[in-house]
Amino acid sequence: MRLKKYNLLSISLLFFFFHSATGQNILEKKKQNNLAFINGNVFDGEKFIKKNIYSVKGEITFLEPNELDSIIDVDNKYIIPPFGDAHTHNLDRVWQMSFLPKQYLAEGTFYVLNLTSKLSGVQKNIEYFKKKNTIDVRFSHQGLTSTLGHPFMAYEPFAMNIPYEKWQDNKEIIKESRLDENNSYIFLDNKKDVRNKLNNFFEAKPDVVKIFLLNSQNYSKNFSNDSIADHGLSIKVAKKVIKKSHKQNLPVYAHIESSHDFRKGLKIGVDYFAHMPGYNWDGNLEDYENNYTKDKDLKLAVKKKIGIIPTLGQALLAGRNDSIRKVNFVKKFLNRYHNLGGKIYTGSDAFGKTLSNELDYFIKLNIFDNLTLIKIFCIDTPQNIFPSRKIGLLKETYEASFLVLNENPLSDIWSIKRIYLKVKQGIILE
């Protein structure tokens, strides 16, 4: 056997000079080779340790194998697990496939959770995500709501080819349309709907379930007014949905708006919250109490091991009346939940965009130390997205997926933006 040894510069040159017509580079032709990454600093979950790391059949080992295909000298750089985006509505459109997977990989995001998607689009794209050298995605399929509730307006007008500026003029026509029903959304208004419609939903094999609870304290009024998109499921129907989902061993993620939604969601068995309560509050003090979460509710969430995806970009952009007040509101919530021991995950909820900006919001809030941020970005979120896989840690027999950074992110968190090398399940990515 002829052993190949590369430093990081030679790896870059190989990618440049030897990229074949089929899109495979010289190191990818054998796919999951036995690779050695020497002279690196490996993150052990708390600190960096100087040691060599090996990839054998796509898994990590720290014992040098008898045979190696290549040795890569990472030259004292820093090795961390990849990132995860736990809240998006991307990757169910064919037109996104030419750029979004590449953008996710380029920024170091390997794991993605889609929380409401077009079923037809998922079925078209799903084979692409079975490849080891692209991002890994889980899908909730259709969002579960009540008639004309959110996310109806996020899908139906587009299915009708009505541009945003003409929505108001076509409001009544849109309300009557159901082109995307049972594809992007499913209406569940009562227990009968749950009995009649959920079996078909489960037969499509969603990875998780996404329900919508919007200002549930006003559900009866909003639903009976025949309004659009200002409500979700009733609490009674949501409880039924959660019970049936849990029988299918499916976790339930809930879109919420108010602290009331959060409290009721906890009571009926929601597993994860896709937004922080009050994320859409605009800073108006008259509506503060409706958006502020009490300590007893946060403590109950921690006790139940509930994870929260705060969607910081969406939350901070919603602070229209008083942005400083909104920033302080967000900071206080995150600090309170984290200090109580609550799990916080990264998720952008930014259509057509990747996770990168959401990571920036976490960093710029300046409330968590760098170690906490790395744990949220690289450990907690990926493990939440794929709880049954060995990812999120650089440990023996875990998947050989990691990022090589130029500098130590515990000293400079912005070094996560300067990725020198990416490895996914033992495959070196471009």
Side-chain angles (χ1 to χ4, degrees):
M1 178 185 67
R2 185 177 180 183
L3 188 64
K4 295 172 284 188
K5 184 174 181 179
Y6 306 110
N7 58 28
L8 289 178
L9 176 60
S10 65
I11 289 287
S12 299
L13 291 174
L14 283 169
F15 285 150
F16 182 79
F17 289 112
F18 296 103
H19 195 279
S20 72
T22 60
Q24 292 178 310
N25 61 63
I26 193 169
L27 287 180
E28 289 178 326
K29 285 182 179 178
K30 286 189 177 181
K31 297 301 179 183
Q32 292 171 316
N33 297 331
N34 286 4
L35 304 177
F37 299 85
I38 63 173
N39 299 321
N41 299 288
V42 179
F43 184 62
D44 71 353
E46 297 290 338
K47 60 187 180 303
F48 285 94
I49 299 175
K50 181 87 172 190
K51 59 179 175 179
N52 300 334
I53 186 170
Y54 304 92
S55 171
V56 177
K57 294 182 180 179
E59 293 185 354
I60 290 172
T61 181
F62 295 102
L63 300 174
E64 183 174 351
N66 293 329
E67 294 188 359
L68 283 171
D69 298 295
S70 303
I71 299 175
I72 297 95
D73 187 344
V74 298
D75 192 23
N76 206 39
K77 294 184 178 354
Y78 295 82
I79 303 174
I80 63 171
F83 314 129
D85 186 342
H87 186 165
T88 187
H89 303 286
N90 290 326
L91 305 167
D92 59 344
R93 275 81 160 176
V94 173
W95 60 267
Q96 292 182 334
M97 300 301 289
S98 64
F99 65 98
L100 274 180
K102 294 177 183 177
Q103 289 180 5
Y104 274 117
L105 290 177
E107 71 187 25
T109 300
F110 288 8
Y111 314 109
V112 178
L113 180 61
N114 180 303
L115 295 178
T116 301
S117 52
K118 289 177 174 287
L119 178 60
S120 59
V122 174
Q123 292 170 337
K124 290 178 182 176
N125 294 343
I126 197 66
E127 286 300 316
Y128 178 88
F129 299 115
K130 293 180 180 179
K131 298 186 295 184
K132 294 184 184 299
N133 62 341
T134 190
I135 53 175
D136 298 330
V137 189
R138 300 184 85 201
F139 292 93
S140 67
H141 300 337
Q142 307 97 319
L144 306 182
T145 189
S146 58
T147 297
L148 297 184
H150 186 54
F152 176 73
M153 289 299 290
Y155 291 97
E156 194 62 29
F158 296 102
M160 301 171 71
N161 293 315
I162 298 177
Y164 178 75
E165 60 272 15
K166 294 186 178 180
W167 285 7
Q168 190 60 37
D169 293 340
N170 292 277
K171 182 178 178 180
E172 295 305 315
I173 298 174
I174 295 172
K175 286 170 65 174
E176 296 300 318
S177 178
R178 298 292 185 271
L179 290 179
D180 232 14
E181 186 176 9
N182 301 318
N183 184 41
S184 298
Y185 58 86
I186 297 176
F187 289 152
L188 304 171
D189 296 340
N190 48 55
K191 293 180 180 179
K192 182 180 178 181
D193 285 343
V194 174
R195 288 194 304 271
N196 293 340
K197 297 181 180 182
L198 269 195
N199 285 339
N200 288 336
F201 170 72
F202 292 137
E203 284 176 6
K205 299 189 181 304
D207 296 304
V208 302
V209 175
K210 173 69 177 297
I211 67 171
F212 289 80
L213 300 176
L214 277 75
N215 299 311
S216 52
Q217 67 275 18
N218 298 319
Y219 172 80
S220 296
K221 181 182 71 174
N222 291 342
F223 182 78
S224 62
N225 284 344
D226 199 29
S227 54
I228 304 181
D230 62 356
H231 55 280
L233 295 173
S234 71
I235 295 300
K236 287 183 179 180
V237 170
K239 184 177 180 179
K240 267 296 205 191
V241 170
I242 292 170
K243 185 176 180 179
K244 284 185 172 290
S245 298
H246 286 167
K247 283 185 177 180
Q248 299 285 329
N249 295 316
L250 293 172
V252 177
Y253 289 71
H255 172 115
I256 58 169
E257 299 281 333
S258 65
S259 58
H260 182 273
D261 298 335
F262 183 73
R263 183 166 59 255
K264 289 294 186 179
L266 286 174
K267 186 175 181 179
I268 63 177
V270 167
D271 300 293
Y272 304 98
F273 290 94
H275 297 286
M276 60 170 279
Y279 89 98
N280 205 30
W281 179 56
D282 65 2
N284 186 343
L285 288 177
E286 292 181 2
D287 200 31
Y288 178 79
E289 287 300 320
N290 187 43
N291 291 281
Y292 180 81
T293 307
K294 295 180 180 179
D295 284 346
K296 66 178 183 179
D297 294 328
L298 291 182
K299 290 177 181 177
L300 178 59
V302 172
K303 183 179 180 180
K304 290 189 169 188
K305 298 181 180 180
I306 303 296
I308 297 175
I309 309 161
T311 58
L312 296 182
Q314 301 298 320
L316 295 171
L317 290 172
R320 295 178 291 273
N321 286 357
D322 190 323
S323 59
I324 295 176
R325 186 179 295 153
K326 183 60 180 290
V327 168
N328 290 334
F329 175 87
V330 170
K331 284 184 174 183
K332 186 175 182 179
F333 176 86
L334 292 178
N335 268 323
R336 290 165 64 214
Y337 197 57
H338 174 71
N339 291 340
L340 287 169
K343 286 290 187 182
I344 296 169
Y345 306 125
T346 54
S348 61
D349 190 25
F351 184 69
K353 298 180 181 179
T354 57
L355 182 69
S356 184
N357 288 340
E358 186 71 9
L359 300 182
D360 294 352
Y361 285 117
F362 266 90
I363 295 170
K364 290 177 180 179
L365 279 180
N366 197 31
I367 56 175
F368 297 134
D369 61 38
N370 292 350
L371 177 59
T372 298
L373 289 173
I374 292 297
K375 287 182 176 181
I376 293 172
F377 298 168
C378 302
I379 301 176
D380 296 338
T381 304
Q383 290 181 349
N384 164 252
I385 298 173
F386 287 97
S388 63
R389 285 171 55 179
K390 290 184 173 182
I391 61 174
L393 293 169
L394 304 179
K395 294 176 62 175
E396 196 78 26
T397 74
Y398 272 56
E399 293 180 21
S401 298
F402 47 82
L403 312 173
V404 180
L405 308 180
N406 285 301
E407 297 94 22
N408 186 346
L410 296 181
S411 301
D412 176 11
I413 191 61
W414 290 105
S415 67
I416 66 170
K417 300 288 184 173
R418 299 185 288 275
I419 302 171
Y420 204 99
L421 191 68
K422 301 177 289 291
V423 179
K424 185 170 184 292
Q425 293 177 275
I427 300 170
I428 297 178
L429 304 178
E430 294 184 64

